[in-house]
Amino acid sequence: MKENKLTVLIPIIYAEKMHETKPGSYMSHCLGHEGEGSLLSALIKADLATSLTSYSDNLLNSFSYLMIQMQLTDFGLENYLQVVEKTFTYLKMMKENGPSQYAFDEAAKTGELNWTFIDKMKVFRYVTSLTEKMTLFSDDNMHKVLSSSFLYERFDKPLIQSILDSIDLSKVNLFLYSQNHTADTVLD
């Protein structure tokens, strides 16, 4: 099975300690939206991609990022720079339009449903993730460790906007995966 994938890694301000507002998860939710007006709908309409997933993560207690992974069509592979352009345009639109209470509420509801119907995880992975998260909470808030990956507590529009505004598209990493693509490309 041949796969043509484009992964876009976007460094953002360290957000792991912002577990009450989840700015990275909010932005990932908006980027991964599949409805009308979404990045995915624009890519499908242009026959550039067939699917898109997005998530945020944190590394080394100092670095956060957004990851967008797109399954490209053959046409999308040939024209992957158009995919990059549409992705960057969508990010710029997110900056200009600013965070939305409606999108936040939608992400919060999705998180609540995921928490309610959580799948059983592998025990070691789960315990390890909890141990890492425990360092982020005071003793008074330790009860939030279990649900902090899922539940959104409050909408902080200025915080989300400041993280959106800090995104520097010149620092984005692109990864193109294909058995068929051989051209070297230098991006400006």
Side-chain angles (χ1 to χ4, degrees), residues 49-61:
T50 58
S51 66
L52 179 150
T53 58
S54 178
Y55 63 91
S56 65
D57 205 354
N58 311 287
L59 293 172
L60 307 171
N61 291 325

Side-chain angles (χ1 to χ4, degrees), residues 168-180:
D168 182 349
L169 296 179
S170 71
K171 294 188 169 91
V172 168
N173 290 291
L174 305 172
F175 303 92
L176 185 63
Y177 306 92
S178 176
Q179 294 177 334
N180 301 326

Side-chain angles (χ1 to χ4, degrees), residues 50-179:
T50 58
S51 66
L52 179 150
T53 58
S54 178
Y55 63 91
S56 65
D57 205 354
N58 311 287
L59 293 172
L60 307 171
N61 291 325
S62 62
F63 177 83
S64 296
Y65 62 89
L66 298 170
M67 180 80 76
I68 309 168
Q69 296 177 319
M70 296 163 269
Q71 183 69 42
L72 303 179
T73 61
D74 289 337
F75 181 72
L77 176 64
E78 292 171 21
N79 298 282
Y80 72 92
L81 291 176
Q82 285 183 36
V83 178
V84 172
E85 182 180 331
K86 287 186 182 299
T87 302
F88 285 9
T89 299
Y90 195 83
L91 284 163
K92 289 175 188 172
M93 182 204 65
M94 285 177 62
K95 282 184 183 187
E96 291 168 6
N97 291 347
S100 151
Q101 180 73 51
Y102 177 81
F104 181 86
D105 291 344
E106 183 179 72
K109 189 64 173 172
T110 301
E112 189 177 319
L113 288 169
N114 288 339
W115 170 244
T116 301
F117 300 103
I118 191 170
D119 290 335
K120 293 180 180 161
M121 298 179 170
K122 294 191 184 221
V123 175
F124 180 77
R125 186 174 130 222
Y126 183 61
V127 170
T128 302
S129 73
L130 289 179
T131 304
E132 291 171 358
K133 287 188 181 299
M134 288 175 73
T135 63
L136 303 174
F137 293 88
S138 67
D139 290 344
D140 294 339
N141 288 322
M142 198 55 69
H143 64 282
K144 296 180 180 181
V145 170
L146 296 175
S147 62
S148 67
S149 293
F150 301 93
L151 302 181
Y152 294 65
E153 295 184 35
R154 62 186 169 80
F155 179 54
D156 189 337
K157 186 174 183 169
L159 173 67
I160 296 168
Q161 185 66 53
S162 72
I163 294 175
L164 280 168
D165 289 341
S166 75
I167 292 174
D168 182 349
L169 296 179
S170 71
K171 294 188 169 91
V172 168
N173 290 291
L174 305 172
F175 303 92
L176 185 63
Y177 306 92
S178 176
Q179 294 177 334

